[in-house]
Amino acid sequence: MAEMVTFLPISSPFIRFAGRWVDEAFGVAAGYNFFVFEAALVPFEVTACNVIIHYWSDIVPAGGIITIVIVLYALINVFAVKWYGESEFWLALGKVLLIVGLIFFTFITMLGGNPQHDRFGFRYWNDPGSFAELYKTGSLGRFLGFLQCLILASFTIAGPDYVSMAAGEAENPRYVMPRAYKAVFYRLTSFFVLGSLAVGINVPHNDKELSDAFTNEEPGAAASPYVVAMNRLGIRILPDIVNAMVLGSAFSAGNSYVYCASRSLFGLALEGKAPKILTRCTRNGVPIYCVTIVLLISLLSFLQVNNGAATVLNWFVSLLTYPISANSQVTASQLINFCAMTYTFLAFRRACIAQGFDRNSLPYVSLFQPYAAYYALVCCFVMTFVGGYPVFLSGKWDVPTFLFSYMMVAVFPCLYFGWKLLKGTKRVRPEDVDLTVGGELEAIERYQREYVAKPPR
């Protein structure tokens, strides 16, 4: 993705690349899959913000909190990408401080720096053990437990798609985008690996407080292994700080979803796959009607005001996600998006070879290609189907769960073949691929030649 987007930093890049370099129908399926997924998660994150705030008190009504969050999203996303980027910079800084702080917390407490002076180290790796059994016993049960963690972890690959959506509005994109992609890669690799390690050190997988928090759907950070560890060690104040940081993370996620959903719809409109009126922008380049549609979808979060209606919201979100447990879900759509991205890159690479285009001349060249792309494509494709595997275990068949698990897996090919039959599109041959995307490459090259960096404020 970094290689393609730094070469052609345009609005909604991977959606438009899919349509121009693979097949028009493929671009439509990828675009609407991404839009529906992102837009549906906005009310989910707004609701999450409300739930997290209720960790402290329920004195503020749910409707008031939801209104405030949606208004803030509107203000941030209407003032162009620089305001979105500014807000995400500070919110991302909060995430970094949170994970770094929790890693240091783990290191200090495991060596005895806690109120109980308990030097527990890697105790929980031996008792009850590092691998929990799930559904079955013995080696099979431990493998299923690992597989469940792998399914949950697959959601953490999100990042490059969000960075890509800002490419068309970023200043000096061929300079800043490679740096942004590298930062995402190193952050995901280091923070998530170290964070996963820290969780296993802090609390045993069979801890009663942790199990009860998930079973009873406790609000906010109550179900966090770090908060459970703090409670086990008798540490006060820190759980409230963690909850505040989690609130910032949830708000940031919803903010990103609003931006990405609106830009994906904008990209579809630019390609003629959505109403032309959606291409209208403000003076600052914000697709105002696209943002408005996404914010209107976010109003579904008000369903939580009525406890009965909240169930309807969960069903709506479940259409785009398959349940992993009562509180944890991994999205099939997210994995489908990455399958589409990797397949589009392979088509781009084939086109470069067929047209004699030297990839080494690109602003950024990805490593280990095409093997890394094939590896990512196969892994994401397999994980898309593995996510709902519990319904196939003996005694666990459930029709609604099966439908929620694989709904988007069925919708994607329906969109693809439906548009193909409707418009009679054909796959683009490598030698016929338009690597300039309708002449936009020339405009980008001219921008880069004439760009003059602004002095820092």
Side-chain angles (χ1 to χ4, degrees):
M1 181 54 60
E3 183 172 316
M4 295 187 294
V5 173
T6 52
F7 171 55
L8 277 167
I10 60 177
S11 297
S12 307
F14 65 87
I15 295 173
R16 299 172 68 185
F17 293 161
R20 296 294 186 99
W21 297 345
V22 180
D23 187 335
E24 183 180 320
F26 189 73
V28 170
Y32 277 105
N33 174 75
F34 186 73
F35 167 70
V36 175
F37 164 65
E38 295 289 316
L41 284 178
V42 176
F44 181 80
E45 292 298 340
V46 174
T47 300
C49 289
N50 177 55
V51 172
I52 292 169
I53 291 174
H54 284 160
Y55 171 83
W56 292 295
S57 173
D58 57 2
I59 191 172
V60 180
I65 295 174
I66 292 171
T67 300
I68 292 172
V69 173
I70 293 176
V71 169
L72 288 174
Y73 284 160
L75 292 174
I76 292 172
N77 283 273
V78 165
F79 288 103
V81 71
K82 65 177 181 179
W83 294 105
Y84 167 79
E86 188 76 13
S87 63
E88 280 302 298
F89 170 79
W90 292 107
L91 291 170
L93 180 60
K95 295 178 187 178
V96 171
L97 292 175
L98 173 63
I99 189 62
V100 171
L102 291 175
I103 291 172
F104 274 103
F105 163 82
T106 301
F107 181 73
I108 293 170
T109 55
M110 71 183 292
L111 295 179
N114 58 73
Q116 299 181 7
H117 304 292
D118 181 12
R119 192 181 180 93
F120 55 87
F122 293 91
R123 177 189 303 163
Y124 304 129
W125 286 25
N126 297 315
D127 181 22
S130 55
F131 286 86
E133 296 177 348
L134 183 67
Y135 301 127
K136 304 291 184 179
T137 58
S139 299
L140 178 59
R142 288 190 290 272
F143 171 75
L144 293 179
F146 168 77
L147 182 60
Q148 197 80 318
C149 293
L150 187 62
I151 294 170
L152 289 169
S154 65
F155 182 74
T156 63
I157 61 177
D161 45 348
Y162 299 155
V163 174
S164 301
M165 299 306 287
E169 298 171 73
E171 183 177 331
N172 195 15
R174 285 190 170 174
Y175 173 76
V176 301
M177 296 306 291
R179 294 161 63 94
Y181 280 114
K182 290 178 181 179
V184 168
F185 173 77
Y186 291 124
R187 186 179 66 191
L188 289 178
T189 303
S190 57
F191 287 168
F192 282 113
V193 170
L194 292 175
S196 300
L197 178 66
V199 167
I201 293 173
N202 275 307
V203 63
H205 61 73
N206 62 352
D207 181 85
K208 187 177 185 305
E209 182 182 348
L210 184 65
S211 301
D212 290 346
F214 277 94
T215 302
N216 301 328
E217 299 187 8
E218 295 290 338
S224 166
Y226 296 104
V227 171
V228 172
M230 293 169 189
N231 292 336
R232 287 169 63 94
L233 297 171
I235 299 174
R236 305 303 175 203
I237 307 299
L238 279 182
D240 294 301
I241 297 176
V242 171
N243 194 68
M245 294 292 194
V246 170
L247 174 61
S249 296
F251 182 87
S252 173
N255 193 34
S256 297
Y257 294 143
V258 172
Y259 182 88
C260 292
S262 61
R263 268 47 177 194
S264 62
L265 185 59
F266 179 62
L268 288 167
L270 288 175
E271 295 292 301
K273 310 305 184 301
K276 188 176 181 180
I277 192 174
L278 297 178
T279 61
R280 188 168 298 178
C281 298
T282 65
R283 288 186 305 171
N284 294 323
V286 177
I288 187 65
Y289 291 139
C290 295
V291 173
T292 301
I293 289 175
V294 175
L295 291 174
L296 288 175
I297 294 174
S298 72
L299 297 178
L300 286 168
S301 55
F302 280 102
L303 290 172
Q304 197 197 24
V305 175
N306 182 297
N307 290 331
T311 303
V312 179
L313 176 61
N314 289 333
W315 274 49
F316 178 79
V317 175
S318 293
L319 289 174
L320 303 158
T321 58
Y322 41 74
I324 301 302
S325 67
N327 296 301
S328 186
Q329 298 175 326
V330 170
T331 61
S333 292
Q334 178 79 325
L335 294 168
I336 291 173
N337 284 329
F338 277 91
C339 287
M341 291 178 197
T342 53
Y343 191 79
T344 300
F345 171 77
L346 291 171
F348 168 72
R349 183 177 180 276
R350 286 194 297 268
C352 290
I353 295 173
Q355 298 181 25
F357 184 84
D358 185 10
R359 287 175 51 245
N360 292 321
S361 65
L362 296 174
Y364 178 87
V365 180
S366 52
L367 302 176
F368 312 117
Q369 299 298 350
Y371 310 106
Y374 281 117
Y375 174 78
L377 177 60
V378 171
C379 289
C380 290
F381 184 80
V382 170
M383 291 305 299
T384 301
F385 290 90
V386 168
Y389 83 91
V391 298
F392 299 108
L393 298 178
S394 178
K396 293 189 177 297
W397 175 257
D398 181 67
V399 173
T401 301
F402 173 79
L403 292 176
F404 293 156
S405 298
Y406 298 105
M407 178 68 75
M408 291 310 297
V409 176
V411 168
F412 187 90
C414 287
L415 289 170
Y416 175 75
F417 289 108
W419 189 269
K420 200 171 198 45
L421 291 174
L422 182 66
K423 298 293 184 178
T425 64
K426 296 182 179 180
R427 288 180 54 84
V428 183
R429 297 185 303 174
E431 56 269 23
D432 296 332
V433 166
D434 179 13
L435 293 175
T436 69
V437 187
E440 293 207 35
L441 178 61
E442 182 180 348
I444 294 168
E445 297 283 1
R446 183 170 61 251
Y447 169 84
Q448 291 296 138
R449 289 194 301 268
E450 298 174 356
Y451 175 76
V452 177
K454 295 180 182 179
R457 291 179 294 176

